């Protein structure tokens, strides 16, 4: 195992080599071919030299670009020189594949050189037995630290925190603190804050590093520390922790256990990943896609998408049965069948506009009880105005295409459906949110069901009544 | 104007007061009522006391929760004690409203107390005349700095950077540097890195603060600095800069002009906002919504949503004209009209699943030339398998509902349309991206057009051919 000092300087040298990417940010074909050839030649020296300068994220991108056989061979050839931190940068299934290939002893060796948050990220996906075997091969303190983080539930601050941090007592001076930092060999690789604790590890405050640097040596720590109002409970959901970082522009925050004792530090780079991931989840859910990954197989992908399509199938049959009510009318006036998808489709589009805005505003907490009333009124207004605009357009075209009565009927149906679409687009996500369901997951089905049913019923029903058929 | 030192300590004290929020993260009704009453009473002292501890984002949330009249009155009552930084935390239209209400002299006074990036954020939306008038009332160096940032195009790193930074020459020692930091009165409020420059301001390297703290006083700066491979050109797009931060886990990065001279520093808190904003844009575009805000009026909202609905109307008429080709067939077999929306709708849903995954993978650069072939083949496989699953389901139900022949026909149409939907869902975003268009904006229209047209044509066409009518 390397000394922390060496680790720090080693990781600092891995500044990366952006030359491996082309202008579009894709790994250069020439670089990939070069590495591929070295793998084929089993040229370990060349590989170590070429990959030595890569940042962990660059090595991650390279692993993703290689063919599975090349990937396996590369990890095998690099042996102990393979930078495990790269595994935090690749798809879950690729990480799984690489970790499965390696003996537990080598993994145990490797995770000791990682920051604890990276080590937890890799260990948490292993099955219980492998996890235990690896943990049992670690030195005592390392084992305790990782187990503490792994004991917190998934997606909490405790899981994402780094258990290495710098903490000093309040009665030290700035000078003592700087001397301690110069001497101590067990500092984390990087840190942006120093925490102040009492002898029982209870958190008293924090100091940003720039504050230490601009203060005279004789000053007391307790006089320059600020109370940390933003300490994060270890059990806090990672999304909530991320919102705390965003709102207060934090760079790092203390993580405390239920007794207010400092157990770790959450840093902004982890939070950036969480923010990215949560936005991603919302996009995927709105599109009717679950937690799938690009590296998933055909069968896994199909399996994850069928449930959503099934739910939609039910609403599609519901809409079809509404049309079925008016089959006699359609038999007489076939123009209705030609035009009816326009009414339903425009309603669906207008509804999903409102729904997208609502779901997003709920996620970012921009929509709350103080403006919900105003937003509902606004959406009703927009639905009504857009209803009139598209009633005029569609009514005119349909009147010219078929006959003037059909033009009036479709115009009336458009106004009704676009107004209902606006209402459904805002009320359905609000209600789902109120009842604790995730509005991003379920809103689209309900909104489409409403706009289809109302669209078909309004258009065909008006026609049946007006023409007196069916 | 306050001294920088005071400013720094003042902003540090504004740690915020999370008690103003309830469990859902919404401002407490009691707090809002309390502030509302103080505004009505014109009780300036009480307001100043109650708002003194608020973080800028908390004051921003409060402004958004107040009624427009209360907002205006509050800003007026607080006068010079109104924290302008809160304006960077509110909706564009609310910022506009508050800034319009204030005399330029007061704005000029206030922006001097802001970090340059916040000042630019507020100034950039003003019209040219007001901007010039405010800039002309600023002290020389402040004016030059802000003008330099404002001269870079919108949405570039140069616009978002902070022009205050700490820079030292390479031949200084760590001790000299620390002494300089202790003495200098003109330090930025917060900093996480020290930059190393030559006499012409050319960037030589950077040092993280923890490195300064853990190094002996006698060491030379040039021996502990690292070369900054990740210097950001001031003209770089903010999204690209954000990706650089994400990939390399940066906390701050030097911004350089075209001659490689240090002009500012970009910090992670600005980047978090950019990441949030870009993910937001993708969600909104996929939902057919432009750059609207919750505070927009009914008319502004309607205007921003009509274009998307218009485009969809064209494709809806295209689909209707396909149905029109088969009006004779529908007249004979009205069951076709009842069932046809199922074929088109399921195709639309399956297509949008594939499209969502593709658009997102393109945005995060996870989809590139190395895996595009594999992903296209995967989506074709998923489309085929899901086509068979839903062909069996829909065919059986339709066969029982109407007759067995119709069951077979709709089954065949489902297989065709779900396969085409998968192809359209992946190829359309890929092609749009290749030709430089934003796949998030245009993909949905094209995918729906394809699944509607193919869905109706396959189902009605097969029926017309099989039954020999139409």
């Amino acid at each position: 195992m390397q000394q922390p000092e060496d680790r720090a300087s080693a990781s600092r040298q891995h500044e990366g080599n952006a030359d491996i990417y082309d202008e579009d940010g894709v790994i250069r074909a020439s670089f990939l071919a070069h590495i591929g050839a070295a793998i084929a030649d089993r040229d370990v020296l060349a590989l170590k030299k070429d990959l030595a300068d890569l940042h962990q994220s660059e090595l991650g991108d390279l692993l993703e670009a290689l063919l599975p056989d090349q990937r396996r061979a590369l990890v095998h050839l690099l042996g102990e020189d393979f930078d495990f931190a790269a595994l935090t940068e690749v798809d879950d299934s690729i990480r799984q594949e690489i970790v499965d290939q390696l003996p537990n002893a080598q993994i145990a060796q490797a995770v000791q050189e990682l920051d604890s948050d990276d080590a937890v990220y890799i260990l948490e996906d292993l099955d219980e037995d492998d996890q235990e075997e690896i943990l049992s091969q670690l030195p005592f303190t390392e084992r305790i630290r990782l187990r503490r983080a792994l004991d917190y539930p998934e997606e909490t601050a405790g899981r994402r925190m780094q258990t290495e941090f710098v903490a000093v007592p309040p009665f030290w001076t700035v000078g003592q603190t700087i001397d301690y930092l110069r001497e101590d060999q067990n500092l984390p690789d990087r840190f942006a804050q120093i925490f102040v604790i009492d002898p029982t590890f209870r958190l008293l405050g924090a100091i940003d590093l720039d504050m230490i640097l601009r203060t005279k040596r004789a000053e007391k720590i307790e006089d320059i520390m600020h109370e940390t109002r933003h300490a994060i409970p270890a059990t806090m959901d990672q999304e909530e922790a991320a919102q705390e970082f965003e709102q207060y522009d934090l760079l790092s925050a203390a993580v405390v256990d239920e007794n207010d004792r400092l157990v770790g530090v959450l840093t902004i780079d982890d939070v950036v990943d969480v923010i990215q991931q949560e936005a991603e989840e919302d996009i995927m859910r709105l599109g009717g896609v679950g937690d799938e990954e690009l590296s998933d197989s055909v069968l896994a992908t199909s399996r994850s998408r069928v449930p959503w399509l099934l739910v939609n199938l039910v609403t599609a049959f519901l809409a079809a049965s509404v049309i079925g009510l008016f089959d006699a009318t359609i038999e007489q006036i076939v123009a209705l069948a030609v035009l009816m998808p326009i009414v339903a489709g425009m309603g669906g589009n207008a509804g999903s506009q409102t729904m997208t805005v609502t779901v997003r505003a709920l996620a970012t907490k921009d929509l709350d009880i103080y403006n919900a009333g105003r937003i509902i009124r606004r959406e009703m207004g927009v639905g009504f105005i857009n209803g009139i605009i598209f009633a005029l357009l569609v009514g005119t075209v349909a009147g010219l295409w078929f006959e003037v009565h059909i033009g009036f009927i479709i115009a009336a149906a458009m106004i009704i459906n676009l107004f209902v679409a606006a209402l459904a687009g805002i009320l359905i996500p609000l209600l789902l949110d109120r009842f604790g369901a995730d509005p991003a997951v379920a809103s689209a089905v309900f909104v489409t069901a409403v706009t289809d049913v109302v669209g078909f019923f309004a258009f065909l029903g008006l026609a049946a009544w007006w023409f007196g058929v069916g």
Side-chain angles (χ1 to χ4, degrees), chain A:
Chain A
M1 184 185 157
Q2 291 176 279
Q3 282 304 303
E5 267 289 295
D6 299 336
R7 270 202 277 158
S9 53
S11 81
R12 267 165 215 287
Q13 279 160 22
H14 284 244
E15 267 269 297
N17 180 0
D19 291 345
I20 69 168
Y21 299 104
D22 65 16
E23 318 74 55
D24 294 334
V26 176
I27 291 198
R28 276 181 206 289
S30 58
F31 179 70
L32 199 60
H34 174 72
I35 296 295
I39 293 172
D41 294 346
R42 312 184 62 80
D43 188 346
V44 178
L45 281 181
L47 284 173
K48 286 186 180 168
K49 186 169 149 292
D50 289 334
L51 305 181
D53 273 348
L54 294 195
H55 184 268
Q56 60 189 56
S57 64
E58 294 167 343
L59 182 55
D61 285 344
L62 174 64
L63 287 172
E64 291 191 329
L66 289 171
L67 300 171
D69 283 346
Q70 294 179 311
R71 201 147 54 211
R72 251 189 306 279
L74 177 63
V75 174
H76 180 74
L77 289 170
L78 287 177
E80 293 194 359
D81 282 330
F82 173 66
D83 181 2
F84 258 61
L87 292 183
T88 63
E89 311 267 356
V90 298
D91 261 15
D92 287 351
S93 54
I94 292 179
R95 178 167 56 251
Q96 203 67 48
E97 177 196 310
I98 292 176
V99 169
D100 285 348
Q101 152 193 4
L102 295 172
N104 282 340
Q106 189 180 339
I107 299 175
Q109 188 66 35
V111 294
Q112 292 177 37
E113 289 171 32
L114 296 179
D115 286 341
S116 67
D117 52 344
D118 289 344
V120 167
Y121 193 85
I122 292 172
L123 290 177
E124 67 183 355
D125 287 338
L126 298 181
D127 56 49
E128 203 105 348
D129 292 347
D130 287 331
Q131 220 182 68
E132 275 310 310
E133 194 183 327
I134 291 167
L135 284 173
S136 71
Q137 296 180 30
L138 297 180
F140 179 74
T141 44
E142 199 93 355
R143 184 163 71 236
I144 296 296
R145 284 181 162 187
L146 293 183
R147 223 192 278 275
R148 180 155 60 185
L150 284 166
D151 277 348
Y152 288 110
E154 270 185 66
E155 312 220 321
T156 59
R159 265 294 173 89
R160 290 280 79 80
M161 72 186 177
Q162 203 173 307
T163 52
E164 300 95 357
F165 49 78
V166 181
V168 299
F171 50 82
W172 277 18
T173 63
V174 167
Q176 267 177 301
T177 305
I178 295 182
D179 293 342
Y180 161 74
L181 294 173
R182 288 204 183 118
E183 301 304 333
D184 194 85
Q185 297 295 305
N186 276 311
L187 295 179
D189 288 359
R190 292 171 74 179
F191 56 96
Q193 258 189 331
I194 292 179
F195 298 105
V196 188
I197 52 174
D198 76 6
T200 65
F201 263 75
R202 270 206 332 120
L203 182 68
L204 301 174
I207 311 175
D208 295 333
L209 295 191
D210 62 319
M211 197 63 189
I212 303 263
L213 282 167
R214 59 171 113 206
T215 308
K216 302 252 188 292
R217 278 184 70 92
E219 292 248 17
K220 278 264 173 62
I221 287 294
E222 58 195 337
D223 295 330
I224 62 166
M225 76 179 193
H226 51 101
E227 265 181 74
T228 48
R229 293 215 180 125
H230 307 298
I232 309 253
T235 50
M236 184 186 265
D237 185 84
Q238 60 178 8
E239 186 172 6
E240 222 177 304
Q243 277 167 350
E244 197 85 349
F245 269 72
E246 261 184 285
Q247 167 147 29
Y248 297 107
D249 291 338
L250 309 179
L251 292 181
S252 65
V255 179
V256 293
D257 69 8
E258 63 281 9
N259 299 316
D260 230 17
R261 280 181 312 219
L262 186 63
V263 289
V265 52
L266 200 61
T267 53
I268 179 93
D269 51 315
D270 300 314
V271 169
V272 168
D273 294 340
V274 171
I275 292 173
Q276 188 82 330
Q277 197 181 320
E278 299 289 344
E280 188 99 8
E281 269 179 32
D282 272 2
I283 294 178
M284 299 300 243
R285 284 173 188 166
L286 280 170
V289 194
D291 290 333
E292 62 174 67
E293 298 199 339
L294 272 190
S295 55
D296 284 351
S297 68
V298 171
L299 282 180
T301 310
S302 163
R303 207 177 307 125
S304 86
R305 293 198 198 157
V306 163
W308 169 258
L309 291 176
L310 263 181
V311 175
N312 273 284
L313 185 61
V314 175
T315 75
F317 269 110
L318 185 70
S321 66
V322 171
I323 302 172
L325 296 176
F326 300 97
D327 53 355
T329 319
I330 292 172
E331 216 165 353
Q332 305 253 330
I333 311 161
V334 93
L336 300 177
V338 175
L339 293 173
M340 66 186 185
I342 296 178
V343 181
M346 291 301 289
N349 285 318
S352 86
Q353 286 182 327
T354 306
M355 178 193 80
T356 303
V357 174
T358 309
V359 167
R360 205 45 210 158
L362 283 170
T364 56
K365 302 199 171 172
D366 286 332
L367 182 57
D368 55 40
I369 46 165
Y370 299 114
N371 55 12
R374 191 178 65 75
I375 303 295
I376 293 173
R377 282 193 302 278
R378 182 188 78 165
E379 290 300 330
M380 286 167 61
V382 172
F384 187 67
I385 291 177
N386 288 0
I388 290 181
I389 292 173
F390 285 93
L392 289 173
L393 274 171
V394 175
T396 309
V397 175
L400 293 171
W401 189 358
F402 298 99
E403 57 150 320
V404 76
H405 292 277
I406 288 188
F408 279 114
I409 288 169
I410 200 170
M414 284 295 280
I415 293 179
I416 294 171
N417 206 23
L418 260 59
F419 186 74
V420 170
L423 268 186
I426 183 138
L427 292 183
I428 288 172
L430 277 176
L431 285 175
L432 287 170
D433 186 59
R434 170 63 60 95
F435 291 116
D438 181 350
V441 175
S443 294
V445 188
F446 289 112
V447 171
T448 319
V450 168
T451 55
D452 274 0
V453 166
V454 171
F456 290 131
F457 194 86
F459 181 50
L460 298 176
L462 280 173
W465 166 74
W466 180 260
F467 293 110
V469 286

